[in-house]
Amino acid sequence: MATQLAWFRNDLRLADHAALIAAAARGPVAALFVLDDETPGAWRVGAAQRWWLHHSLARLGRSIAEGGGRLILRRGRAGPIVRAVAAELGADVHALLHHEPWAAVQVAEAGAVIPHLGVTLAPPESVLSGTGGRYRIFTPWWKKLLEQMPPPRPRPVPDLRWADVGSIASDDLSQWGLLPTAPDWSGGFSQWQPGEAGAAARLADFARRAARYETARNLPSVEGTSRLSPHLALGEVSPNTAWHVIADAVGETVAEPYLRELGWRDFAANIIDQFPDHGDAPNREAFNRFPFIDDPVGLTAWQHGQTGYPIVDAGMRQLWTTGWMHNRVRMITASFLVKHQLIDWRHGERWFWDCLVDADYGSNAQGWQWVMGSGVDSSPFNRIFAPVGQSAKFDAAAYIRRWVPELAQLPDDAIHAPWEAGVALIRAGVKLGRDYPQPIVNHEAARARALAAWAQVKNA
Ligand SMILES: Cc1cc2nc3c(=O)[nH]c(=O)nc-3n(C[C@H](O)[C@H](O)[C@H](O)COP(=O)(O)OP(=O)(O)OC[C@H]3O[C@@H](n4cnc5c(N)ncnc54)[C@H](O)[C@@H]3O)c2cc1C
């Protein structure tokens, strides 16, 4: 039987992996991962996700070695490398279909790849309106997707006979330099356990908390969400598995708010499948004329969590330290950058890309274009989040204390807007401008400026 090459990309798992299952059914299996910094161009894997990738590949390699195989590692342009390795092995190539624009280029260049499904709950092109058109708005798309749900039940790791790949050259993972060296900023990443076993453990933990998801998911001070996003982004668990484990744990009705969020992940794939340049170009043409401000100092203050708005600074510091940020706070920080600071959303999107362990081209672009108001399905530009109001409404005091320790002594009612805290600030021994920044913009003035900028574009 001919050797079958399973080409892993952001699907670093052995269970519920249709390409691996198909390969295993047809012959001895060789496994390959290519670190491709070339085909994605500017969207090559960012720094935080490189840390994750290193550990995830190490674990996948160990799992394969335990079964007597070897994960072949290569670095360079994926298509030609896959083609060459397949030729050397005389193998058929199996891979899951991914939806990033560069993923299709990789497959086209790799030659005869046998494609399989499993990256999303359903293939984007399968969710069509009555007239056969593609959806661009979430709610009708979700209703239509539900007609295909639940997704197929996850399949276990197949019986694998690993091919002898002793003669095939492979890189040494430690030589790829995926981990930070000097300085090593990954100390705060220790909460994560990359890899398939870590994903399964986190999913099992979330299954015990999933009944409280709806009430807790918007509160950054509590661990109310699954924190499964980096595992899903690297494909260490399939979305089908997440769907069924949570639906089985709490029932489909209680699970619905969580399943709907999984749906947003699929929806992002649906959008980049239709708009491959979603990460670079606004969907709404008017936003090409938006008068963004070139403000490197303001951008640095935002990136480093030094804006003087505690909820914004808490989020940006959580991101830097842990590689992850709570969804509600992603919306607040993103809105602050584009509407209070009038800085181009693509600067924020790039920073997130580099800092997030869950960086996902579609979800990130969708998040930023939603906040900016420039996406096909997005929040209207004139809906401007008030950072202080959001912070109080979603009870972020404990979250702020955790990430902005300078303000830890302030009482709950004062911590969201320290510049208004008066005597509480004195009691806490905090001096603005010395211990913590003065707000870099005034909310009302910034809001008025943003609306004026929008009016200029909208009416042009
Ligand atoms: C500006 C901005 C940028 C974002 N960038 C990314 C990104 O690069 N990668 C990423 O995975 N998510 C991104 N998101 C979406 C969302 O913030 C994260 O998916 C979520 O916070 C992950 O935490 P969780 O796993 O605990 O989510 P849960 O609440 O447990 O949600 C379950 C799963 O659904 C998916 N999901 C949830 N919300 C969304 C959403 N709005 N869009 C797409 N998928 C979603 C994730 O895979 C998540 O693991 C972004 C949101 C915004 C506003």
Short mmCIF file of all heavy atoms in Angstrom, two decimals, residues 417-450:
data_model
loop_
_atom_site.label_atom_id
_atom_site.label_comp_id
_atom_site.label_asym_id
_atom_site.label_seq_id
_atom_site.Cartn_x
_atom_site.Cartn_y
_atom_site.Cartn_z
N ALA A 417 -12.77 55.35 36.97
CA ALA A 417 -12.40 56.69 36.47
C ALA A 417 -11.60 57.41 37.57
O ALA A 417 -12.11 58.28 38.26
CB ALA A 417 -13.66 57.51 36.13
N PRO A 418 -10.32 57.06 37.72
CA PRO A 418 -9.54 57.59 38.85
C PRO A 418 -9.44 59.11 38.86
O PRO A 418 -9.29 59.71 39.93
CB PRO A 418 -8.17 56.92 38.69
CG PRO A 418 -8.16 56.28 37.34
CD PRO A 418 -9.56 56.08 36.93
N TRP A 419 -9.52 59.76 37.68
CA TRP A 419 -9.42 61.22 37.64
C TRP A 419 -10.63 61.89 38.29
O TRP A 419 -10.60 63.09 38.57
CB TRP A 419 -9.24 61.70 36.20
CG TRP A 419 -10.38 61.33 35.29
CD1 TRP A 419 -11.48 62.07 35.02
CD2 TRP A 419 -10.54 60.09 34.56
NE1 TRP A 419 -12.31 61.38 34.16
CE2 TRP A 419 -11.77 60.17 33.86
CE3 TRP A 419 -9.78 58.94 34.44
CZ2 TRP A 419 -12.24 59.12 33.05
CZ3 TRP A 419 -10.23 57.92 33.63
CH2 TRP A 419 -11.45 58.01 32.94
N GLU A 420 -11.66 61.13 38.54
CA GLU A 420 -12.84 61.69 39.24
C GLU A 420 -12.90 61.20 40.68
O GLU A 420 -13.88 61.42 41.38
CB GLU A 420 -14.13 61.25 38.52
CG GLU A 420 -14.31 61.90 37.17
CD GLU A 420 -15.48 61.31 36.38
OE1 GLU A 420 -16.09 60.32 36.84
OE2 GLU A 420 -15.77 61.84 35.29
N ALA A 421 -11.85 60.51 41.14
CA ALA A 421 -11.94 59.82 42.43
C ALA A 421 -11.73 60.74 43.63
O ALA A 421 -12.06 60.37 44.76
CB ALA A 421 -10.94 58.67 42.47
N GLY A 422 -11.17 61.94 43.43
CA GLY A 422 -11.02 62.92 44.50
C GLY A 422 -10.30 62.36 45.71
O GLY A 422 -9.18 61.86 45.62
N VAL A 423 -11.01 62.42 46.84
CA VAL A 423 -10.37 62.06 48.11
C VAL A 423 -9.98 60.58 48.14
O VAL A 423 -8.99 60.20 48.79
CB VAL A 423 -11.30 62.47 49.29
CG1 VAL A 423 -12.46 61.51 49.45
CG2 VAL A 423 -10.52 62.60 50.59
N ALA A 424 -10.71 59.74 47.43
CA ALA A 424 -10.37 58.30 47.40
C ALA A 424 -8.98 58.08 46.82
O ALA A 424 -8.23 57.19 47.24
CB ALA A 424 -11.40 57.52 46.59
N LEU A 425 -8.63 58.95 45.87
CA LEU A 425 -7.32 58.87 45.24
C LEU A 425 -6.23 59.22 46.26
O LEU A 425 -5.21 58.55 46.36
CB LEU A 425 -7.29 59.85 44.06
CG LEU A 425 -6.35 59.58 42.90
CD1 LEU A 425 -6.63 58.24 42.24
CD2 LEU A 425 -6.51 60.69 41.85
N ILE A 426 -6.51 60.27 47.02
CA ILE A 426 -5.54 60.70 48.03
C ILE A 426 -5.37 59.60 49.09
O ILE A 426 -4.27 59.22 49.46
CB ILE A 426 -6.00 62.03 48.69
CG1 ILE A 426 -6.09 63.11 47.60
CG2 ILE A 426 -5.06 62.45 49.82
CD1 ILE A 426 -6.81 64.37 48.02
N ARG A 427 -6.50 59.06 49.54
CA ARG A 427 -6.46 57.98 50.55
C ARG A 427 -5.65 56.79 50.04
O ARG A 427 -4.95 56.13 50.79
CB ARG A 427 -7.87 57.52 50.88
CG ARG A 427 -8.49 58.34 51.97
CD ARG A 427 -9.61 57.56 52.66
NE ARG A 427 -10.55 58.52 53.21
CZ ARG A 427 -11.77 58.75 52.73
NH1 ARG A 427 -12.24 58.01 51.77
NH2 ARG A 427 -12.53 59.68 53.26
N ALA A 428 -5.78 56.51 48.73
CA ALA A 428 -5.07 55.35 48.16
C ALA A 428 -3.60 55.69 47.90
O ALA A 428 -2.81 54.81 47.52
CB ALA A 428 -5.75 54.91 46.87
N GLY A 429 -3.24 56.94 48.09
CA GLY A 429 -1.85 57.36 47.88
C GLY A 429 -1.44 57.39 46.42
O GLY A 429 -0.27 57.23 46.08
N VAL A 430 -2.43 57.58 45.55
CA VAL A 430 -2.13 57.58 44.11
C VAL A 430 -2.13 59.01 43.58
O VAL A 430 -3.08 59.76 43.81
CB VAL A 430 -3.19 56.76 43.33
CG1 VAL A 430 -2.91 56.80 41.83
CG2 VAL A 430 -3.24 55.31 43.83
N LYS A 431 -1.07 59.36 42.87
CA LYS A 431 -1.03 60.67 42.23
C LYS A 431 -1.02 60.45 40.71
O LYS A 431 -0.13 59.78 40.18
CB LYS A 431 0.23 61.42 42.66
CG LYS A 431 0.27 62.87 42.23
CD LYS A 431 1.38 63.60 42.97
CE LYS A 431 1.75 64.94 42.42
NZ LYS A 431 0.87 65.66 41.57
N LEU A 432 -2.06 60.99 40.06
CA LEU A 432 -2.13 60.81 38.61
C LEU A 432 -1.01 61.60 37.94
O LEU A 432 -0.68 62.71 38.34
CB LEU A 432 -3.49 61.26 38.07
CG LEU A 432 -4.69 60.41 38.50
CD1 LEU A 432 -5.95 60.87 37.79
CD2 LEU A 432 -4.46 58.92 38.28
N GLY A 433 -0.42 61.00 36.91
CA GLY A 433 0.71 61.63 36.26
C GLY A 433 2.02 61.14 36.87
O GLY A 433 3.08 61.25 36.25
N ARG A 434 1.96 60.65 38.09
CA ARG A 434 3.18 60.10 38.72
C ARG A 434 3.05 58.57 38.83
O ARG A 434 3.88 57.83 38.32
CB ARG A 434 3.34 60.71 40.12
CG ARG A 434 4.60 60.21 40.86
CD ARG A 434 4.59 60.58 42.34
NE ARG A 434 3.53 59.85 43.06
CZ ARG A 434 3.18 60.09 44.33
NH1 ARG A 434 3.77 61.06 45.00
NH2 ARG A 434 2.24 59.37 44.92
N ASP A 435 1.97 58.11 39.47
CA ASP A 435 1.81 56.66 39.69
C ASP A 435 1.02 55.98 38.57
O ASP A 435 1.14 54.79 38.35
CB ASP A 435 1.06 56.42 41.01
CG ASP A 435 1.75 57.11 42.16
OD1 ASP A 435 2.99 56.96 42.25
OD2 ASP A 435 1.08 57.81 42.94
N TYR A 436 0.17 56.77 37.94
CA TYR A 436 -0.69 56.23 36.88
C TYR A 436 -1.02 57.39 35.95
O TYR A 436 -1.21 58.53 36.42
CB TYR A 436 -1.97 55.63 37.50
CG TYR A 436 -2.90 55.03 36.46
CD1 TYR A 436 -2.54 53.87 35.78
CD2 TYR A 436 -4.11 55.65 36.14
CE1 TYR A 436 -3.38 53.34 34.80
CE2 TYR A 436 -4.95 55.13 35.16
CZ TYR A 436 -4.57 53.97 34.49
OH TYR A 436 -5.38 53.45 33.52
N PRO A 437 -1.08 57.15 34.62
CA PRO A 437 -1.25 58.28 33.69
C PRO A 437 -2.58 59.03 33.86
O PRO A 437 -3.59 58.44 34.23
CB PRO A 437 -1.22 57.62 32.30
CG PRO A 437 -0.74 56.23 32.51
CD PRO A 437 -0.98 55.86 33.93
N GLN A 438 -2.52 60.31 33.55
CA GLN A 438 -3.75 61.08 33.34
C GLN A 438 -4.40 60.51 32.07
O GLN A 438 -3.69 60.02 31.19
CB GLN A 438 -3.42 62.56 33.07
CG GLN A 438 -2.79 63.30 34.22
CD GLN A 438 -3.83 63.82 35.21
OE1 GLN A 438 -5.04 63.58 35.02
NE2 GLN A 438 -3.38 64.49 36.26
N PRO A 439 -5.73 60.56 31.94
CA PRO A 439 -6.33 60.06 30.70
C PRO A 439 -5.76 60.78 29.47
O PRO A 439 -5.63 62.00 29.49
CB PRO A 439 -7.82 60.36 30.88
CG PRO A 439 -7.97 61.11 32.15
CD PRO A 439 -6.68 61.10 32.90
N ILE A 440 -5.41 60.01 28.43
CA ILE A 440 -4.77 60.66 27.28
C ILE A 440 -5.76 61.42 26.41
O ILE A 440 -5.36 62.24 25.59
CB ILE A 440 -3.94 59.68 26.40
CG1 ILE A 440 -4.79 58.52 25.88
CG2 ILE A 440 -2.73 59.17 27.11
CD1 ILE A 440 -4.05 57.72 24.82
N VAL A 441 -7.05 61.11 26.56
CA VAL A 441 -8.07 61.91 25.87
C VAL A 441 -9.24 62.10 26.82
O VAL A 441 -9.43 61.33 27.75
CB VAL A 441 -8.61 61.22 24.58
CG1 VAL A 441 -7.59 61.21 23.47
CG2 VAL A 441 -9.09 59.81 24.88
N ASN A 442 -10.01 63.15 26.56
CA ASN A 442 -11.24 63.37 27.32
C ASN A 442 -12.36 62.65 26.56
O ASN A 442 -12.50 62.83 25.34
CB ASN A 442 -11.50 64.88 27.41
CG ASN A 442 -12.90 65.17 27.91
OD1 ASN A 442 -13.86 65.16 27.13
ND2 ASN A 442 -13.01 65.44 29.19
N HIS A 443 -13.15 61.85 27.28
CA HIS A 443 -14.14 61.01 26.60
C HIS A 443 -15.10 61.83 25.74
O HIS A 443 -15.30 61.53 24.56
CB HIS A 443 -14.91 60.18 27.62
CG HIS A 443 -16.11 59.49 27.03
ND1 HIS A 443 -16.00 58.53 26.05
CD2 HIS A 443 -17.44 59.65 27.25
CE1 HIS A 443 -17.21 58.12 25.69
NE2 HIS A 443 -18.11 58.79 26.41
N GLU A 444 -15.68 62.87 26.31
CA GLU A 444 -16.70 63.63 25.56
C GLU A 444 -16.10 64.30 24.33
O GLU A 444 -16.68 64.29 23.25
CB GLU A 444 -17.38 64.67 26.46
CG GLU A 444 -18.36 64.07 27.48
CD GLU A 444 -19.42 63.14 26.84
OE1 GLU A 444 -19.74 63.34 25.66
OE2 GLU A 444 -19.87 62.19 27.52
N ALA A 445 -14.90 64.87 24.52
CA ALA A 445 -14.25 65.55 23.39
C ALA A 445 -13.88 64.53 22.31
O ALA A 445 -14.05 64.78 21.10
CB ALA A 445 -13.01 66.30 23.87
N ALA A 446 -13.38 63.39 22.75
CA ALA A 446 -12.96 62.35 21.79
C ALA A 446 -14.17 61.83 21.03
O ALA A 446 -14.11 61.59 19.82
CB ALA A 446 -12.26 61.21 22.52
N ARG A 447 -15.26 61.67 21.74
CA ARG A 447 -16.48 61.17 21.12
C ARG A 447 -16.96 62.16 20.03
O ARG A 447 -17.28 61.76 18.91
CB ARG A 447 -17.54 61.02 22.22
CG ARG A 447 -18.80 60.37 21.77
CD ARG A 447 -19.72 60.04 22.95
NE ARG A 447 -20.86 59.34 22.43
CZ ARG A 447 -21.89 59.93 21.81
NH1 ARG A 447 -21.90 61.25 21.69
NH2 ARG A 447 -22.86 59.21 21.31
N ALA A 448 -16.95 63.44 20.39
CA ALA A 448 -17.39 64.47 19.44
C ALA A 448 -16.47 64.49 18.22
O ALA A 448 -16.91 64.60 17.07
CB ALA A 448 -17.41 65.84 20.12
N ARG A 449 -15.16 64.35 18.48
CA ARG A 449 -14.18 64.36 17.37
C ARG A 449 -14.42 63.16 16.43
O ARG A 449 -14.38 63.29 15.21
CB ARG A 449 -12.77 64.31 17.95
CG ARG A 449 -11.68 64.35 16.92
CD ARG A 449 -10.30 64.37 17.53
NE ARG A 449 -9.95 63.12 18.18
CZ ARG A 449 -8.71 62.78 18.55
NH1 ARG A 449 -7.72 63.63 18.36
NH2 ARG A 449 -8.47 61.64 19.14
N ALA A 450 -14.70 62.00 17.04
CA ALA A 450 -14.92 60.79 16.22
C ALA A 450 -16.18 60.96 15.36
O ALA A 450 -16.18 60.63 14.17
CB ALA A 450 -15.04 59.58 17.12
#
